[in-house]
Amino acid sequence: MIAGVHTQGEDCIELRRLFRYFGKTKAVHDISFSVARGHVFGYIGPNGAGKTTSMRILSTLDLPSFGDAFVDGFSVVNDPELVRRRLGFMPDSFGTYRDVNCEEYLDFFARAYGLVGRERTERLRWVLDFTGTVGMKDKPIRGLSKGMKQRLCLGRALVHDPKVMILDEPAAGLDPRARIQLRKMIRELADRGKTILISSHILTELAEMCDSVGIIEQGQLLATGSVDDIQRQRNQTRELIVRVLDRAEDAAAALKIHLPTRLAVELGTTADGSPPAEPGKIIVDGELIRFEFEGDVRDQAELVAWMVGQGFAIAEVQSHKKSLEDVFLQVTEGLVQ
């Protein structure tokens, strides 16, 4: 890319074969992914996986050993100043001046970004209102709670109206209400067209908030895509729990024999439908029958209809698809560097 030339495209964040080594430690090793404009990308990995290093490179706070990254089409290597104008970075911890109030703190950074006059005044008013800190603008930062400090840090990252937001563990240490409010703010920013890369260990929130996720471990990207796509790629089964009012043992035995052939391998039956040499993955727990079910909702409906036709009194059916946390545990090994 020629310095200063903005390449057009839908992707607002792009990592191209990014490497970052610290001696023999491969903090980031050959990572490539992109985030479309207006999307929220969740960056997931254990501690020491390389998330913060990647985000620091994107934020022009570090340089890659090899490869490059682009923010709104500009290279972090060749055009760091142009990247910074388009980027808002919220680190996992940030420094403050204890005796400065919230409005003075935000005003300082607005001036640092070159905002002047009415533009700065209107921008400060919007940021205070959006982050819910307008009522605390005169309060010293040292008196703020953890949640309010996080809001202020988000406001600092927003004060120059960046196109791209990099948020490193923004929900760490927040109470449930503060996390819900932060999640709503992030989704609203995405709806306004901002592209957001966010790291978090609270995977249930990322699953609700993000358009796509990437799972990283030991500096390598193991999986990327929408949450549903990764779930489908990594897990083709779901747990099915059927509650029968009586004859649970008979129902379980019938399931082993009469399930569709395409489900035979997972459930432990043979291809011709005869009982296997060893019991399949069917567990009887009182009235409940639990088993790994490979098939879609139509297959599930056909299975329940068949059981009713066989005279079993079906009282309840539960279908549990593995969550993002389940997939994360399946993909990663808990390794650190």
Side-chain angles (χ1 to χ4, degrees):
M1 172 182 287
I2 301 174
V5 176
H6 180 197
T7 58
Q8 298 296 325
E10 288 299 317
D11 293 331
C12 219
I13 297 175
E14 184 178 5
L15 277 66
R16 297 181 187 171
R17 301 210 64 186
L18 200 66
F19 294 77
R20 184 63 172 106
Y21 295 161
F22 297 96
K24 295 183 179 180
T25 301
K26 300 177 180 179
V28 175
H29 184 73
D30 198 10
I31 287 184
S32 298
F33 66 81
S34 59
V35 186
R37 191 177 307 276
H39 281 208
V40 180
F41 183 90
Y43 211 21
I44 306 169
N47 293 326
K51 302 187 301 298
T52 297
T53 299
S54 307
M55 299 171 101
R56 284 177 55 82
I57 292 173
L58 270 172
S59 304
T60 72
L61 298 176
D62 195 8
L63 286 171
S65 302
F66 309 99
D68 205 346
F70 299 86
V71 172
D72 197 30
F74 292 98
S75 164
V76 300
V77 176
N78 298 325
D79 307 303
E81 289 298 328
L82 294 174
V83 168
R84 289 167 193 153
R85 295 178 191 174
R86 292 159 172 79
L87 181 77
F89 177 50
M90 182 178 172
D92 56 352
S93 61
F94 68 104
T96 59
Y97 302 100
R98 289 174 52 84
D99 296 323
V100 172
N101 66 39
C102 295
E103 187 174 33
E104 292 169 339
Y105 180 78
L106 294 175
D107 183 66
F108 171 83
F109 284 98
R111 291 172 184 269
Y113 279 110
L115 300 181
V116 296
R118 178 178 295 180
E119 181 186 14
R120 186 175 76 244
T121 302
E122 291 180 350
R123 193 65 198 164
L124 287 175
R125 185 183 301 116
W126 184 89
V127 167
L128 287 166
D129 182 64
F130 179 79
T131 58
T133 54
V134 66
M136 308 183 72
K137 65 179 183 178
D138 297 322
K139 187 172 183 178
I141 293 175
R142 68 175 181 271
L144 298 182
S145 66
K146 171 71 172 180
M148 295 310 296
K149 285 182 178 179
Q150 290 294 83
R151 286 170 177 262
L152 184 63
C153 188
L154 179 63
R156 184 190 68 177
L158 279 170
V159 73
H160 59 301
D161 195 20
K163 294 184 178 180
V164 175
M165 302 287 294
I166 307 293
L167 312 179
D168 192 4
E169 297 286 347
L174 299 186
D175 61 62
R177 180 177 293 277
R179 289 204 305 269
I180 292 171
Q181 293 169 341
L182 178 65
R183 185 169 69 237
K184 289 180 178 178
M185 284 191 285
I186 291 172
R187 273 313 326 175
E188 183 175 343
L189 289 171
D191 292 341
R192 291 172 177 263
K194 298 193 184 301
T195 305
I196 300 172
L197 188 150
I198 177 173
S199 70
S200 177
H201 290 140
I202 308 172
L203 303 190
T204 52
E205 291 192 347
L206 287 184
E208 297 176 7
M209 185 194 322
C210 296
D211 300 290
S212 56
V213 299
I215 301 177
I216 181 175
E217 186 174 42
Q218 287 197 310
Q220 294 183 296
L221 197 63
L222 305 181
T224 185
S226 71
V227 174
D228 288 340
D229 286 343
I230 293 179
Q231 287 172 329
R232 283 193 294 267
Q233 293 167 9
R234 298 287 172 169
N235 172 52
Q236 297 297 324
T237 66
R238 65 184 70 200
E239 183 184 37
L240 195 64
I241 303 174
V242 180
R243 180 187 173 202
V244 294
L245 296 182
D246 54 25
R247 301 170 55 207
E249 294 286 351
D250 292 342
L255 282 170
K256 289 183 181 181
I257 298 173
H258 294 287
L259 280 169
T261 303
R262 61 183 177 278
L263 310 182
V265 175
E266 180 61 31
L267 295 172
T269 58
T270 58
D272 62 1
S274 60
E278 297 181 359
K281 299 179 182 179
I282 297 182
I283 300 173
V284 178
D285 181 12
E287 295 181 338
L288 303 181
I289 304 173
R290 304 172 181 267
F291 54 92
E292 292 290 319
F293 183 76
E294 184 176 289
D296 56 23
V297 291
R298 187 175 297 276
D299 293 319
Q300 180 177 314
E302 292 176 355
L303 180 62
V304 173
W306 176 83
M307 293 185 71
V308 172
Q310 295 296 308
F312 297 109
I314 307 298
E316 185 179 358
V317 178
Q318 300 178 34
S319 179
H320 170 65
K321 183 171 67 173
K322 287 184 170 61
S323 66
L324 182 58
E325 289 182 339
D326 296 326
V327 176
F328 174 79
L329 292 174
Q330 182 181 5
V331 172
T332 60
E333 299 178 19
L335 302 176
V336 295
Q337 303 191 81

